[in-house]
């Protein structure tokens, strides 16, 4: 969609194929609006198909579209009011999709107009954020009902933060401002950033694998819980899709388990290597990954290696990208500690974003504690990263 807009904007009637871009702001508004229109249309279509095929009689078409709109708001950090209390839990896979679309829209605008100046980039960022926030508020007004009210303040703040981060990243990356900023950083800073990214991706991949192992070990429980909800094949597809949208949230919760603090699914269910407490949880098949008894499962003990492994990957990456002008083994080791500390900060932020609440009372808190998880990851990853960076740098120098 964005590439099509960019191609259309480069031609005018009778211009013989010469470049005549649309005005910058108009192209920005069209590209960013296309992300919301296309994304919401696709999500609505998916919900409508699942509900239509439900033999038990699902939601109406309008009801399905309203559900898609509410999911769209939740993915941006929005808040919905339920009889049981506020619902604040972003399906992070959908959040990543929205952020990726906005980033690509911004990059398409930069390519169409060949922007490289800071003032023009700032204008595009402001216009893109404005149209995305306005469209989000329009969706919020449409789906707002007395039964399911929308928390407009939190929803607006979430749309501002998400659009600012995604559009800003796309503009900075495509216009060269990001590379220019990296070039101004001290030498060791660039290997550290590479190491942090590698370590974070490693941790998330391993946490996702833990979720898959936990689900696979209780496939019977997943099938039983899915079957108890009804909906035949269509309902099963819908539950699988919902579980996929929440899979990054589950991985973030496992990160809390791996770091040591554990995670909560309401006030009555707590999982850590120090013990398991079980209580009633929502009837979501993805939660079949939770332990069936109060005995700590073996996969929970195995997950304790994740922060250390992530630190080893981060430190090895730091050491490999160190140049002769960046310093020797000692500097590389100190940079490994910095990479571990930053990895802890990002882990704490990710855990905080992935958590939320499913109402008041027993489900008021879902996810891992952000501060404790961040500190634990920083301590464990920092030590491993320092050793790995020192050894890798020492070996590279021969």
């Amino acid at each position: 969609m964005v590439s099509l807009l960019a191609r259309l904007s480069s031609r005018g009637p009778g211009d013989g194929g010469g470049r005549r871009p649309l005005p910058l702001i108009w192209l920005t508004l069209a590209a960013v609006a296309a992300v919301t229109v296309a994304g919401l249309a696709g999500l609505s279509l998916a919900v409508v198909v699942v509900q239509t095929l439900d033999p038990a009689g699902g939601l109406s078409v309008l009801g399905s579209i309203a559900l898609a709109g509410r999911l769209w708001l939740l993915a941006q950090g929005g808040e919905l009011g339920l009889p049981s209390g506020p619902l604040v839990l972003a399906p992070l896979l959908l959040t990543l999709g929205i952020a990726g679309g906005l980033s690509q829209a911004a990059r398409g605008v930069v390519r169409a107009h060949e922007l490289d100046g800071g003032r023009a980039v700032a204008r595009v960022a402001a216009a893109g954020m404005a149209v995305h926030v306005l469209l989000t508020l329009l969706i919020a007004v449409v789906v707002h009902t007395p039964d399911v009210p929308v928390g407009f303040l939190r929803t607006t703040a979430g749309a501002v933060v998400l659009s600012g981060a995604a559009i800003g990243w796309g503009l900075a990356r495509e216009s060269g401002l990001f590379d220019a900023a990296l070039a101004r950083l001290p030498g060791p800073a660039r290997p550290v950033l590479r190491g942090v990214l590698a370590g974070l991706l490693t941790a998330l991949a391993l946490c996702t694998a833990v979720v898959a192992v936990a689900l696979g070990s209780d496939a019977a429980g997943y099938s039983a819980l899915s079957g108890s909800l009804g909906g035949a094949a269509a309902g099963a597809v819908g539950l699988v899709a919902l579980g996929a949208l929440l899979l990054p949230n589950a991985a973030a919760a496992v990160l809390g388990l791996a770091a040591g603090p554990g995670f909560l699914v309401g006030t009555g269910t707590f999982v850590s290597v120090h013990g398991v407490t079980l209580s009633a949880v929502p009837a979501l098949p993805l939660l079949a990954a939770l332990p069936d008894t109060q005995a700590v499962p073996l996969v929970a003990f195995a997950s304790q290696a994740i922060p250390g492994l992530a630190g080893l990957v981060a430190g090895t990456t730091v050491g490999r990208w160190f140049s002769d002008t960046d310093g020797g083994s000692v500097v590389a080791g100190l940079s490994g500690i910095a990479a571990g500390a930053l990895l802890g900060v990002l882990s704490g932020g990710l855990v905080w974003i992935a958590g939320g609440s499913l109402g008041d009372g027993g489900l008021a808190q879902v996810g891992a504690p952000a501060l404790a998880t961040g500190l634990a990851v920083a301590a464990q990853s920092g030590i491993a990263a320092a050793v790995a960076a020192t050894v890798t740098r020492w070996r590279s120098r021969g």
Side-chain angles (χ1 to χ4, degrees):
M1 179 67 72
V2 176
S3 61
L4 176 61
L5 288 172
R7 289 196 299 269
L8 291 176
S9 69
S10 64
R11 295 178 179 270
D15 63 358
R19 294 186 60 85
R20 186 184 297 175
L22 288 175
L24 178 61
I25 298 303
W26 284 112
L27 179 59
T28 302
L29 298 182
V32 173
V35 175
T36 297
V37 173
L40 191 57
L43 185 60
S44 299
L45 179 61
V47 176
V48 168
V49 169
V50 171
Q51 295 295 327
T52 302
L53 297 178
D54 190 345
L59 296 173
S60 64
V61 174
L62 291 179
S64 299
I65 296 175
L67 176 58
R70 293 179 179 120
L71 285 173
W72 190 265
L73 298 180
L74 286 175
Q76 300 183 70
E79 177 183 344
L80 300 178
L82 300 178
S84 59
L87 172 59
V88 182
L89 186 66
L92 288 186
L93 191 62
L94 181 56
T95 304
L96 291 174
I98 297 172
L102 292 174
S103 177
Q104 288 300 317
R107 298 184 74 165
V109 172
V110 173
R111 287 193 296 267
H113 281 264
E114 300 179 353
L115 301 180
D116 56 5
R119 181 172 299 179
V121 169
R123 289 173 57 202
V124 171
M129 290 176 61
V131 68
H132 180 76
V133 172
L134 287 176
L135 288 175
T136 301
L137 287 176
L138 177 61
I139 296 170
V141 170
V142 171
V143 302
H144 177 83
T145 63
D147 296 331
V148 187
V150 175
F152 286 96
L153 180 59
R154 183 183 179 95
T155 300
T156 303
V160 170
V161 173
L162 179 63
S163 62
I167 294 174
W169 166 253
L171 292 173
R173 194 72 181 88
E174 190 67 27
S175 65
L177 293 178
F178 178 75
D179 294 332
L182 283 181
R184 296 189 184 97
L185 293 176
R190 292 187 291 275
V192 167
L193 293 178
R194 292 179 182 272
V196 171
L197 178 60
L200 183 62
L201 293 178
T202 300
L204 292 178
L206 292 174
C207 288
T208 304
V210 169
V211 176
V213 170
L215 282 174
S217 64
D218 193 16
Y222 182 95
S223 300
L225 185 55
S226 179
S228 67
L229 295 176
V237 171
L239 292 173
V240 170
L242 180 59
L245 292 179
L246 293 172
L247 186 58
N249 302 73
V254 170
L255 185 57
L257 171 66
F263 64 87
L264 293 162
V265 184
T267 57
T269 299
F270 176 70
V271 181
S272 75
V273 294
H274 307 294
V276 175
T277 303
L278 300 176
S279 182
V281 296
L284 180 65
L286 181 63
L287 295 180
L290 292 172
D292 294 329
T293 66
Q294 293 187 348
V296 180
L298 179 61
V299 68
F301 288 110
S303 70
Q304 299 296 285
I306 291 178
L309 292 174
L312 289 176
V313 172
T316 301
T317 303
V318 170
R320 286 180 176 176
W321 283 93
F322 245 63
S323 64
D324 293 336
T325 59
D326 294 332
S329 301
V330 175
V331 178
L334 294 175
S335 299
I337 295 176
L342 287 176
L343 184 57
V345 172
L346 292 180
S347 298
L350 175 63
V351 166
W352 179 73
I353 293 172
S357 65
L358 298 176
D360 293 327
L363 293 174
Q365 185 175 357
V366 176
L371 180 59
T373 298
L375 291 175
V377 170
Q380 298 173 56
S381 298
I383 295 173
V387 174
T390 301
V391 173
T392 302
R393 179 59 179 150
W394 174 73
R395 293 183 63 183
S396 67
R397 299 187 71 179

